[in-house]
Amino acid sequence: MIRVLAIDDEPLALQQLAAYIKKIPFLELVSECQSAIEARDILNNDNIDAIFCDINMPDLNGMDFVKSLSTPPLIVFTTAYSEYAVEGFKVDAVDYLLKPFGLDDFKRAANRLQERLEVRQEPVIATSEDDSIFVKTDYRVIKLAISDIRYIEGMSEYLKIHLENQPKPIVTLLSMKKMEEFLPPHFMRIHRSYIINLKKIQEVNKNRVIMDSETYLPIGDNYKDAFNDYLNKKFLGK
């Protein structure tokens, strides 16, 4: 499923856009937003693959909103003004729907979205010779130093890679199992949703691993024995 946002400041237009999205089997409507500011809050807290975005909106127009995103999802612009078409394609928009558009036009845009996403999100992970890995995030392949990885969080089909000195995690379309295969022995899975860098542990408190003052990760029942074996080997004292 392609997780999408619908953004339009006009309630009737937003209602129509949401209705079209719900008619496409491979689209999942995550939220309907009446402003770009509202959409930004959702993008900061959820995994969104694409947005259908009106351009002419108060406070922050759709074009400026997309340009402000450091790693934007795929974009389909919707607007009543044809003069925006050229500018839309300059920001690598997948398609441009001129209002009023019908379901056939919308299906065409949705199909283009699906084709682009299949190319863009094909998982890539590879090791390098200098203790780094390469992962695909959005349309980029980036290099990560293994020593900078604090922990990895699984979220459905995605992983969030939490790094040292970087407040925002790297999000990639990859399985926990695949990631485990590429990490060295000082990484351990402690929960179905968490892999940790054992070198980054600050404290172990009951059934939780404390990575820092704000990060408490649970130890799953299926992973307790392996983790306790690790602790016992490192433990000094009675």
Side-chain angles (χ1 to χ4, degrees):
M1 294 290 284
I2 301 174
R3 294 167 56 80
V4 303
L5 292 183
I7 311 171
D8 201 306
D9 64 305
E10 299 176 6
L12 290 178
L14 183 60
Q15 183 180 354
Q16 181 67 75
L17 182 57
Y20 284 162
I21 291 172
K22 291 173 183 177
K23 289 180 182 292
I24 307 299
F26 54 81
L27 297 183
E28 177 188 351
L29 179 61
V30 176
S31 186
E32 302 171 35
C33 305
Q34 288 192 272
S35 73
I37 295 171
E38 181 184 350
R40 177 177 285 162
D41 290 339
I42 295 172
L43 286 170
N44 287 336
N45 293 287
D46 209 338
N47 292 314
I48 303 299
D49 299 310
I51 59 177
F52 290 84
C53 185
D54 186 28
I55 294 179
N56 261 14
M57 294 186 291
D59 298 326
L60 180 63
N61 74 51
M63 192 68 66
D64 290 339
F65 166 60
V66 170
K67 289 178 180 178
S68 74
L69 299 174
S70 57
T71 54
L74 296 177
I75 310 296
V76 175
F77 282 120
T78 65
T79 184
Y81 301 91
S82 59
E83 62 267 24
Y84 284 114
V86 173
E87 191 177 356
F89 287 113
K90 284 183 180 178
V91 296
D92 197 30
V94 174
D95 209 344
Y96 177 96
L97 291 170
L98 186 63
K99 297 178 180 178
F101 53 86
L103 182 58
D104 287 344
D105 291 328
F106 185 84
K107 285 180 177 178
R108 179 201 70 216
N111 288 333
R112 288 181 178 176
L113 198 62
Q114 186 180 43
E115 290 169 4
R116 180 81 70 90
L117 196 66
E118 286 174 353
V119 172
R120 175 170 164 174
Q121 289 194 327
E122 182 179 350
V124 170
I125 182 169
T127 55
S128 70
E129 296 179 355
D130 57 352
D131 297 323
S132 300
I133 57 173
F134 291 89
V135 297
K136 177 172 280 190
T137 178
D138 294 320
Y139 51 87
R140 303 173 298 149
V141 175
I142 62 174
K143 180 180 179 180
L144 303 178
I146 290 176
S147 60
D148 286 343
I149 300 174
R150 298 175 60 240
Y151 67 97
I152 296 157
E153 180 181 2
M155 298 183 65
S156 186
E157 299 174 343
Y158 295 86
L159 297 182
K160 284 186 175 182
I161 304 173
H162 297 262
L163 302 172
E164 203 76 67
N165 301 317
Q166 186 168 320
K168 194 170 182 180
I170 301 297
V171 179
T172 185
L173 181 64
L174 202 66
S175 69
M176 292 284 275
K177 183 178 180 180
K178 187 73 171 178
M179 178 60 82
E180 281 184 285
E181 293 173 359
F182 280 86
L183 292 173
H186 62 271
F187 283 82
M188 180 178 286
R189 192 165 182 175
I190 61 165
H191 187 275
R192 62 186 179 87
S193 299
Y194 294 104
I195 299 171
I196 64 169
N197 185 340
L198 296 168
K199 295 181 178 181
K200 305 292 185 181
I201 295 175
Q202 289 190 1
E203 185 179 332
V204 179
N205 189 331
K206 296 182 180 179
N207 292 323
R208 298 183 301 177
V209 173
I210 300 172
M211 306 301 288
D212 57 51
S213 60
E214 297 180 351
T215 308
Y216 293 67
L217 304 180
I219 303 170
D221 290 340
N222 294 335
Y223 304 90
K224 280 182 182 178
D225 290 345
F227 185 68
N228 286 334
D229 285 345
Y230 164 78
L231 288 181
N232 290 333
K233 291 176 183 177
K234 298 289 184 179
F235 187 71
L236 296 180
K238 296 181 180 180

